[in-house]
Amino acid sequence: MSVLHISEVTKTFSGGTHAVNSFSLDIADGELVCLLGPSGSGKSTLLRMVGGFEQPTSGRITIDGEDVTHLPPERRPTGMVFQSHALWTHMNVFKNLAFGLKLRRMPAAEIKEKVEAVLELVGLAGYGDRMTTQLSGGQQQRVALARSLVLEPKILLLDEPFASLDQHLRERLREEVRDIQQRLGITTLFVTHGQDEALSMADRIVVMANGKTEQIGRPDVVYRDPKTPFVAGFIGTMNLIEGEVQNGQFVRSDFTFALPIIDGPATLAIRPEALELTVSDTPKAQVHRVTDYGSHGLVDLDLADGTRLKSMVAHPDLFRAGQGVDLLPKAVAAYRDNQQIFRSGM
Amino acid sequence: MTSLPLKRARLDWSGIAFAIVLTLLIVGPLVVVATWAFTEVWRYPNIIPQKFGFRFWGQTLGRPDVWNALMLSLKLSTVVTLLSALICLPAAYAFARMKFPGRDILFFSFLAGHAFPKFGLLVAIAAIFLQLNLIGTFWGVVLIQLVGTLMFMIWIPVAAFQAVDRRMEEAARDVGASPLRVFWSITLPQAGPTIFAAVLLSFVGTFYETEGAWLIGAPGIRTMPVLMISYINNQMVIQYGAVLSVLLWVPSFIALMFARRVIGGGAFARGFGG
């Protein structure tokens, strides 16, 4: 049973910039929560505060009810996996894993047993004698994970652990880490700027921007129901169209859409897969390019004023560049003043 | 399938010429000195000596002042290197990792000793040492040699400490190591090879340093190089100096070979920011 409780944490760097601004989050036992945001959103700073590498300017962090806000990293029940893996290159794999156990004055036989078990867990059984520099990038990251896991931390912290790996390896490790995390039931906080990673691994996603929470929720909910235009634009591909609502009609160039909200500026959000196209004699938009991905196609469109939209279609061969098309949005959300004010079909 | 013919590597003549000139310049004098050390008779205009032999080895090694000087030099170099490490390594760590007022000025003050013509500086220091009764004493020479080691023992370790990945240190904190333990188990081993190079350089540098040892040490303290100078100045027998040269060349050669094996050339380069 390990729960992490972050309440009203603020980090102000010298110079007055708010890296993290009054951030609160509760993570349940065994949950994997992803902090997702662009660089500079404060997600890494937040993770480092949980790990003890940065001190919050104000606020409280507790683990299982114990206040750890001002404890140094070595006295926190957290284990961190760094982006650069940060393995100690002057030690072999076994010594890297045994170091923390030795500090805890564990008998040598027990250390050996534990290290071998954790190497087995990350799929590196028998690699103990290797020097870390002899390992591939994926193996190094596995050792880094094992180094944290062997100490059985209450909270596992992952700081963009796959960022330096290639796409294929990243996907494989993602699944492995998720498997291990669920098998051990270890409470995990995961920082990433890759939405794929967040969507595929997390129990819940925290979307961050400028040191603040934009939205917290299950991956599918955050994807289907983004609460702010930032989240809408950041997660997945989204057509964000700025326009005006006049008499219940959203208007942008030749494109209009019935929107039952009071008049004023609004941003309309439509997923490419929710934007259907029909070939039309009274076109609202013109096809710019058609890309066939085999399983589906992607059509780039231009409104009369040049606004670029994307539509996902099942049969790309029906469309060709230069064609005039009509737009039939099946699901939309509308935003005004950074708030969602209308949603249908999503 | 056809494969492109591999271009044969052209001989780099200018490179070879450069290497030959360099070899002659470096190895030439060594060969002459080594030849002299094993010579009993070598008169003009002969290209090679008329008589080889070990007579002068026996004579040189039979002198008690040679052995005294050798022991003194070893003791001096060891003491100076240890003291220098004790003073400089913590300072280097502070310069590399901590922020404090006057950091940059202090850092360059360590090197200021090398900005003056050395002999002028030594004479000024000798005047001060004279008042402190340090002239002609072991500790006087230790002090003056310490100044000479500062540059190697500050500059290189600073670069070494700066090159250590902060994430490695954080990872060690994360698994439960105290800051002191992190330094001992992570930072020092990571910076170790480069620091070892600095220690070796300062040991060898101290061993062969002549001007300071002579000016401050005379007449009571006669280190190996000082003894060599007096041999060369006072006696027209070249072989004494040559024998001592070869004798002194052996330990430093062994030390350098050892250093190369243990740390590789890269550590020296890294120490100088390469």
Side-chain angles (χ1 to χ4, degrees):
Chain A
M1 278 292 287
S2 292
V3 293
L4 174 65
H5 186 75
I6 303 170
S7 85
E8 309 254 310
V9 163
T10 296
K11 174 74 182 178
T12 314
F13 281 124
S14 54
T17 47
H18 289 293
V20 175
N21 200 345
S22 193
F23 182 95
S24 294
L25 176 69
D26 290 321
I27 303 183
D29 182 40
E31 198 181 19
L32 190 154
V33 173
C34 257
L35 298 176
L36 179 63
S39 46
S41 59
K43 55 190 194 305
S44 275
T45 308
L46 190 70
L47 192 81
R48 289 173 60 77
M49 285 195 284
V50 176
F53 301 106
E54 305 273 358
Q55 283 290 311
T57 312
S58 66
R60 247 166 70 94
I61 298 168
T62 66
I63 295 168
D64 287 347
E66 190 202 349
D67 190 340
V68 299
T69 316
H70 300 292
L71 289 184
E74 64 267 27
R75 290 178 52 204
R76 292 189 188 210
T78 54
M80 179 118 143
V81 178
F82 294 84
Q83 179 181 341
S84 57
H85 65 72
L87 294 175
W88 304 307
T89 49
H90 59 289
M91 302 180 189
N92 64 17
V93 170
F94 182 90
K95 283 182 179 160
N96 264 275
L97 302 187
F99 185 66
L101 298 171
K102 271 189 197 152
L103 291 174
R104 285 161 179 69
R105 305 195 188 288
M106 190 178 276
E110 207 176 322
I111 290 179
K112 194 161 182 288
E113 204 174 292
K114 283 213 174 235
V115 168
E116 276 167 8
V118 79
L119 277 176
E120 177 94 42
L121 181 73
V122 297
L124 288 176
Y127 278 70
D129 293 335
R130 302 278 187 98
M131 290 309 285
T132 58
T133 44
Q134 295 173 313
L135 303 178
S136 69
Q139 290 169 334
Q140 287 174 332
Q141 209 50 270
R142 284 197 187 105
V143 174
L145 178 67
R147 181 172 66 183
S148 290
L149 289 177
V150 77
L151 300 171
E152 295 168 16
K154 287 182 173 177
I155 311 287
L156 183 64
L157 306 171
L158 302 164
D159 188 7
E160 309 216 18
F162 312 135
S164 57
L165 307 175
D166 65 59
Q167 180 66 27
H168 179 71
L169 199 58
R170 203 182 303 171
E171 280 170 23
R172 235 179 65 199
L173 265 174
R174 196 192 286 168
E175 287 168 24
E176 281 181 34
V177 168
R178 180 61 163 155
D179 281 347
I180 291 170
Q181 183 266 334
Q182 285 182 328
R183 206 172 337 148
L184 300 178
I186 185 167
T187 311
T188 304
L189 190 58
F190 190 117
V191 159
T192 179
H193 64 260
Q195 42 162 317
D196 292 355
E197 231 153 76
L199 291 170
S200 65
M201 290 180 75
D203 292 311
R204 274 192 303 157
I205 292 179
V206 179
V207 184
M208 289 184 73
N210 301 318
K212 284 189 143 172
T213 305
E214 289 278 326
Q215 186 170 355
I216 302 181
R218 290 208 327 258
D220 55 322
V221 173
V222 172
Y223 185 83
R224 275 188 293 106
D225 185 12
K227 290 295 183 199
T228 69
F230 175 82
V231 177
F234 191 71
I235 308 264
T237 314
M238 182 70 92
N239 295 303
L240 286 171
I241 313 164
E242 311 260 350
E244 284 283 325
V245 177
Q246 290 158 6
N247 304 320
Q249 287 283 319
F250 176 86
V251 182
R252 172 71 188 236
S253 188
D254 292 344
F255 172 66
T256 59
F257 183 76
L259 206 57
I261 55 173
I262 48 172
D263 291 2
T267 302
L268 196 65
I270 315 167
R271 293 274 180 212
E273 61 266 31
L275 184 60
E276 284 189 9
L277 304 179
T278 54
V279 179
S280 165
D281 293 335
T282 55
K284 304 279 170 53
Q286 200 178 34
V287 173
H288 173 72
R289 184 192 297 125
V290 183
T291 316
D292 193 341
Y293 288 100
S295 60
H296 65 276
L298 211 55
V299 179
D300 289 339
L301 318 154
D302 289 328
L303 295 183
D305 66 353
T307 308
R308 175 66 49 85
L309 302 178
K310 284 177 187 298
S311 166
M312 194 188 282
V313 294
H315 302 289
D317 44 333
L318 295 178
F319 303 95
R320 56 189 163 69
Q323 219 169 22
V325 289
D326 201 359
L327 310 174
L328 302 168
K330 293 294 167 193
V332 302
Y335 303 90
R336 181 179 287 162
D337 299 331
N338 265 341
Q339 302 274 321
Q340 193 189 69
I341 51 168
F342 178 80
R343 175 169 167 255
S344 99
M346 278 174 117
Chain B
M1 281 284 284
T2 55
S3 59
L4 287 170
L6 279 171
K7 232 189 216 171
R8 272 189 61 176
R10 280 228 312 269
L11 280 173
D12 182 359
W13 286 111
S14 59
I16 290 173
F18 188 68
I20 289 172
V21 169
L22 211 60
T23 308
L24 284 177
L25 283 175
I26 294 171
V27 178
L30 291 180
V31 170
V32 172
V33 170
T35 312
W36 266 114
F38 298 99
T39 295
E40 287 184 12
V41 183
W42 190 358
R43 288 197 193 86
Y44 185 80
N46 289 58
I47 304 284
I48 55 166
Q50 285 97 332
K51 190 165 179 251
F52 286 104
F54 287 93
R55 186 158 63 88
F56 286 95
W57 283 79
Q59 284 188 12
T60 310
L61 294 179
R63 298 179 64 119
D65 55 350
V66 169
W67 288 103
N68 289 341
L70 185 64
M71 286 304 140
L72 178 71
S73 276
L74 284 176
K75 197 171 125 195
L76 187 76
S77 302
T78 309
V79 168
V80 167
T81 306
L82 285 179
L83 273 180
S84 179
L86 212 64
I87 297 165
C88 295
L89 293 185
Y93 185 79
F95 281 129
R97 282 299 163 82
M98 294 169 192
K99 278 188 184 142
F100 49 88
R103 179 178 168 277
D104 291 347
I105 291 172
L106 268 173
F107 186 42
F108 280 102
S109 77
F110 267 99
L111 311 174
H114 290 262
F116 300 98
K118 200 179 171 198
F119 213 76
L121 192 70
L122 286 174
V123 169
I125 292 175
I128 299 169
F129 278 18
L130 197 61
Q131 298 222 316
L132 297 171
N133 284 328
L134 283 168
I135 294 291
T137 66
F138 179 74
W139 292 103
V141 179
V142 166
L143 275 177
I144 201 70
Q145 302 282 40
L146 263 180
V147 176
T149 62
L150 288 183
M151 187 159 96
F152 282 139
M153 289 297 273
I154 292 279
W155 198 271
I156 296 177
V158 162
F161 284 129
Q162 277 171 344
V164 176
D165 185 359
R166 299 298 281 264
R167 297 282 181 260
M168 278 192 203
E169 297 175 333
E170 288 185 344
R173 292 288 297 276
D174 195 55
V175 301
S178 64
L180 202 67
R181 184 65 199 248
V182 172
F183 178 78
W184 191 249
S185 296
I186 308 298
T187 316
L188 208 55
Q190 282 288 325
T194 310
I195 289 176
F196 182 76
V199 169
L200 198 82
L201 280 174
S202 78
F203 185 90
V204 172
T206 307
F207 195 91
Y208 293 113
E209 203 277 345
T210 319
E211 298 159 22
W214 177 62
L215 204 67
I216 303 294
I221 300 296
R222 267 148 69 99
T223 64
M224 207 63 182
V226 171
L227 187 73
M228 247 171 81
I229 288 183
S230 71
Y231 277 10
I232 293 163
N233 281 346
N234 302 341
Q235 311 187 16
M236 280 313 288
V237 183
I238 297 169
Q239 282 90 333
Y240 283 130
V243 166
L244 284 184
S245 284
V246 173
L247 214 59
L248 292 185
W249 174 77
V250 171
S252 77
F253 182 75
I254 291 172
L256 278 174
M257 282 298 117
F258 177 68
R260 253 186 67 95
R261 263 182 57 102
V262 173
I263 56 194
F268 281 104
R270 241 177 295 141
F272 287 109

